[in-house]
Amino acid sequence: AQSVTQLGSHVSVSEGALVLLRCNYSSSVPPYLFWYVQYPNQGLQLLLKYTSAATLVKGINGFEAEFKKSETSFHLTKPSAHMSDAAEYFCAVSQEYGNKLVFGAGTILRVKS
Amino acid sequence: EAGVTQFPSHSVIEKGQTVTLRCDPISGHDNLYWYRRVMGKEIKFLLHFVKESKQDESGMPNNRFLAERTGGTYSTLKVQPAELEDSGVYFCASRPGTSGGQETQYFGPGTRLLVL
């Protein structure tokens, strides 16, 4: 069965600092991997996705993630945090095209001024 | 293009009552998904429609939950009778057809259900 582990339910960074949100997955086949973001009182918005093309994926708002098969990881990074990045971030995996998503528990990102 | 919409945005009901949640997917999307997030837990899959057919309902918790998608457009999720543990945020997502490059599920804002 697939599973997703997000290390750290809360992450706090200073404005301008590096953002690193960790995601490890388990899957018996090469997966589809996604990062979604939820801003307060809004729905989930896709940040980026990995679909077996380039292992370094660039998304919206300056975020990127690198698929590392050997480490079964798909960590999300942004070089410089902005106050507007404060939100909850979810990593998700799908084992088959179009199949259900299995989510991690989410990481709340706090950005300090 | 309008996104996925859900109604109501919030619902507060008493234990034993019935609640019906509605989801309108993005126009033309054949695939519709329901997910739920119970407070403090991860978002979990409930079921998946392809047009009007249930493709996968492995995540439905019990027979108090009934999902329909008549005509392959909007979907409803009915909880009858509601229990305290049904409280949470119910998300709907939609996705286009089976062509390549259409893996992304687009989510609605969710319905926040509180059962007292």
Side-chain angles (χ1 to χ4, degrees):
Chain A
Q2 304 164 80
S3 66
V4 177
T5 302
Q6 291 185 240
L7 189 62
S9 59
H10 292 76
V11 170
S12 183
V13 300
S14 298
E15 190 173 21
L18 172 71
V19 176
L20 171 59
L21 304 183
R22 299 179 188 273
C23 173
N24 288 87
Y25 69 92
S26 68
S27 177
S28 58
V29 298
Y32 294 89
L33 292 158
F34 304 82
W35 274 100
Y36 282 88
V37 60
Q38 185 179 25
Y39 298 104
N41 301 315
Q42 295 187 29
L44 298 171
Q45 179 181 359
L46 180 72
L47 269 179
L48 47 81
K49 62 183 178 182
Y50 168 76
T51 59
S52 77
T55 56
L56 182 62
V57 181
K58 294 187 183 298
I60 62 171
N61 302 337
F63 285 92
E64 63 181 36
E66 185 172 8
F67 171 68
K68 291 187 176 180
K69 184 178 178 180
S70 61
E71 298 177 8
T72 60
S73 69
F74 191 56
H75 302 330
L76 182 71
T77 60
K78 181 174 180 177
S80 176
H82 192 272
M83 296 297 289
S84 60
D85 295 326
E88 188 163 19
Y89 292 78
F90 297 93
C91 182
V93 63
S94 176
Q95 191 158 317
E96 295 179 21
Y97 178 90
N99 206 353
K100 63 186 178 186
L101 295 174
V102 175
F103 283 88
T107 298
I108 295 174
L109 176 65
R110 178 180 170 228
V111 181
K112 300 175 292 185
S113 58
Chain B
E1 179 183 84
V4 177
T5 58
Q6 293 186 246
F7 182 83
S9 59
H10 296 77
S11 180
V12 180
I13 62 172
E14 293 189 351
K15 176 183 173 180
Q17 290 186 322
T18 297
V19 63
T20 300
L21 313 181
R22 172 170 170 147
C23 169
D24 285 78
I26 294 172
S27 177
H29 282 196
D30 289 340
N31 295 273
L32 187 150
Y33 306 79
W34 284 99
Y35 294 85
R36 176 175 74 169
R37 189 183 194 191
V38 172
M39 187 179 294
K41 301 284 184 69
E42 63 271 22
I43 300 169
K44 287 197 171 180
F45 167 81
L46 295 178
L47 87 159
H48 171 202
F49 284 100
V50 178
K51 298 184 179 179
E52 65 274 12
S53 299
K54 293 177 184 175
Q55 178 79 7
D56 179 358
E57 52 184 328
S58 61
M60 293 289 264
N62 52 60
N63 59 11
R64 295 186 293 103
F65 288 75
L66 174 64
E68 294 181 326
R69 192 182 182 196
T70 307
T73 54
Y74 71 91
S75 173
T76 58
L77 180 64
K78 182 192 292 187
V79 185
Q80 179 183 28
E83 298 288 345
L84 300 180
E85 63 265 26
D86 300 332
S87 296
V89 182
Y90 289 77
F91 291 102
C92 175
S94 73
R95 185 178 64 81
T98 56
S99 299
Q102 296 184 331
E103 315 84 2
T104 302
Q105 294 183 26
Y106 297 89
F107 282 77
T111 292
R112 285 149 184 79
L113 174 64
L114 178 60
V115 183
L116 301 175

